[in-house]
Amino acid sequence: MKMEQIRQKVQSSAYRFLREDQNLGDKILLLALGGSHAYGMDKDSSDLDIRGVAHNSKEEILLGTDFEQVVDIPTDTTIYSFNKMIQLLSSNNPNTMELLGCRPEHYLYLSDLGKELYENRKMFLSKVCIHTFGGYAGSQLRRLENKAARLVGQAQNEAYILKSIHNAQYDFKNRYYPHNDNDIRLYLDKAVQKGYDSEIFMDVILKHYPLRDWAGMWNEMKAIVNSYNKIGKRNEKAIGHDKLGKHMAHLIRLYMMCIDILEKEEIITYREEEHDLLMSIRNGEYLDDNRQPTTAFYALLNDYEKRFERAKERTRLPDVPDYKRINAFKIYVNECIVTNRDVGHK
């Protein structure tokens, strides 16, 4: 679908909510293509995904409330609140980081403040991406092994879960009350539960630790464990609808984006240089006669994992985002809204 067609479609009645929803309308700061169109991996049959950011209202800012996001399922559109977006970007969330790396023509709308968010995108970059982009891609790609994750043994699946939790723990120190690495130790051992070969065990030694911070960490770890059952069902559905190639291509793309962030300190969403490779994966050229990933795909995966490891060791990115600059920008934008001032960031 050409950009002119996309722009016309977004002006249709199906997207009326963008103009009429109380949290959107003239509050929208940024509107961009998402999904396959943003990555340069779209086909004639590809759905149109729209992503964006809208500033919080004066009342929300002063009362400390937040609409967080507006989701329109029929059009596959998600618009995040500015305050929620800042939180997600600070956590190097892959689905939101890519919003700041689109091609210029893929931005359907940018207000003055939206442009400033885009221009200040580097303040969010940090080594945290290793454990968001890289961690997510690694755990998901490895689950494609042994008949596209359907025949992965219980013990191997448990190891993937533990790896995902370890990746999440990297950012705990930035968001929860400090503790030593050895205070919360997770490891694999022979299972005590029936039907399990091995399972994750934990040793926890926390003294005088805030309950709410522990509850937050516990809930995040619990969510990861629960998510693996859901991911397994999604993979089975993808296999059943012959969409495994698309799944594989998007996961390789995550490695590409993370390597760019680590090496070039840039968010590059549209994969122009790797377009042919990604489309060949998506179109099933790396699936065998049984529609399973080939050895060539795993060789490609191993190559990207090695490049990722090298980039991880050599990157000059800081350990964490520039929180001082991020907070100053957040205050500035919210002050603009509260005082009805929409000017350039000084």
Side-chain angles (χ1 to χ4, degrees):
M1 189 183 300
K2 295 181 179 179
M3 282 305 301
E4 183 179 349
Q5 294 174 300
I6 290 173
R7 291 182 182 278
Q8 290 176 352
K9 187 172 183 178
V10 173
Q11 292 300 318
S12 70
S13 59
Y15 290 85
R16 185 185 300 133
F17 67 93
L18 288 174
R19 297 173 284 278
E20 298 180 354
D21 188 286
Q22 64 176 356
N23 294 309
L24 305 180
D26 60 4
K27 295 184 178 71
I28 293 178
L29 303 177
L30 179 155
L31 208 60
L33 299 186
S36 296
H37 286 87
Y39 313 137
M41 295 168 55
D42 56 295
K43 302 166 72 174
D44 290 341
S45 58
S46 295
D47 295 329
L48 177 62
D49 303 343
I50 301 295
R51 299 292 180 263
V53 185
H55 69 71
N56 296 83
S57 68
K58 180 188 297 187
E59 290 77 13
E60 286 179 317
I61 295 169
L62 294 176
L63 294 173
T65 57
D66 193 346
F67 73 87
E68 294 197 352
Q69 60 191 44
V70 174
V71 178
D72 184 74
I73 296 175
T75 61
D76 197 1
T77 298
T78 302
I79 310 296
Y80 298 93
S81 74
F82 173 76
N83 286 342
K84 179 69 173 179
M85 176 58 74
I86 291 296
Q87 176 188 336
L88 292 169
L89 291 173
S90 298
S91 298
N92 282 204
N93 176 277
N95 291 330
T96 53
M97 291 283 281
E98 65 189 33
L99 258 179
L100 300 184
C102 296
R103 299 182 86 173
E105 62 267 30
H106 287 172
Y107 288 101
L108 303 173
Y109 176 73
L110 277 172
S111 71
D112 289 343
L113 290 175
K115 290 176 183 176
E116 293 189 54
L117 175 62
Y118 172 79
E119 290 167 355
N120 283 278
R121 61 193 180 279
K122 288 193 176 184
M123 65 186 173
F124 299 106
L125 303 185
S126 74
K127 291 179 183 176
V128 172
C129 74
I130 294 169
H131 303 272
T132 51
F133 278 85
Y136 177 77
S139 63
Q140 297 309 300
L141 279 162
R142 284 307 184 188
R143 298 193 74 229
L144 293 170
E145 293 177 340
N146 299 323
K147 301 297 183 181
R150 291 182 296 175
L151 301 180
V152 169
Q154 182 276 321
Q156 188 177 3
N157 189 63
E158 199 78 354
Y160 294 147
I161 297 174
L162 181 58
K163 182 177 180 180
S164 293
I165 294 175
H166 281 156
N167 285 324
Q169 283 183 303
Y170 178 85
D171 196 39
F172 282 1
K173 61 186 177 183
N174 300 320
R175 295 184 289 110
Y176 296 109
Y177 192 79
H179 63 272
N180 296 322
D181 292 340
N182 291 331
D183 290 345
I184 303 175
R185 192 169 75 92
L186 303 177
Y187 54 93
L188 291 170
D189 206 342
K190 185 176 180 181
V192 297
Q193 294 195 51
K194 293 182 179 179
Y196 280 60
D197 297 318
S198 67
E199 64 179 307
I200 300 170
F201 289 84
M202 59 187 296
D203 296 335
V204 179
I205 305 173
L206 292 172
K207 295 182 179 180
H208 198 68
Y209 196 82
L211 175 62
R212 289 176 178 80
D213 284 59
W214 166 246
M217 291 188 291
W218 173 256
N219 285 333
E220 289 195 44
M221 291 187 286
K222 180 181 178 182
I224 290 171
V225 174
N226 291 339
S227 72
Y228 264 76
N229 289 331
K230 297 177 182 177
I231 290 169
K233 292 177 181 177
R234 287 200 297 269
N235 282 346
E236 287 179 11
K237 185 176 180 181
I239 293 165
H241 289 79
D242 204 24
K243 292 183 178 179
L244 188 56
K246 177 180 178 180
H247 188 63
M248 293 158 57
H250 280 303
L251 290 170
I252 288 287
R253 176 190 57 79
L254 278 170
Y255 268 122
M256 293 173 174
M257 288 190 66
C258 191
I259 290 169
D260 280 339
I261 292 172
L262 293 170
E263 291 183 345
K264 303 176 183 177
E265 299 186 15
E266 289 286 354
I267 305 168
I268 304 175
T269 303
Y270 189 88
R271 309 310 307 181
E272 185 172 10
E273 293 183 7
E274 303 94 348
H275 173 269
D276 291 347
L277 171 61
L278 290 172
M279 291 304 291
S280 68
I281 298 172
R282 175 170 183 170
N283 291 332
E285 295 180 27
Y286 284 79
L287 295 172
D288 62 21
D289 292 339
N290 294 318
R291 309 304 292 170
Q292 305 300 330
T294 62
T295 54
F297 173 76
Y298 288 112
L300 179 67
L301 164 60
N302 288 332
D303 178 60
Y304 272 97
E305 286 181 331
K306 290 176 182 177
R307 290 176 59 184
F308 170 69
E309 289 299 322
R310 288 196 298 269
K312 188 170 68 173
E313 294 301 321
R314 299 173 182 175
T315 186
R316 299 179 64 180
L317 285 176
D319 290 337
V320 296
D322 190 343
Y323 290 119
K324 183 176 180 180
R325 185 176 164 194
I326 292 169
N327 288 334
F329 182 74
K330 183 178 178 181
I331 291 170
Y332 157 73
V333 170
N334 285 328
E335 279 185 345
C336 285
I337 305 309
V338 171
T339 61
N340 297 314
R341 177 169 53 95
D342 189 359
V343 296
H345 185 40
K346 305 298 183 185

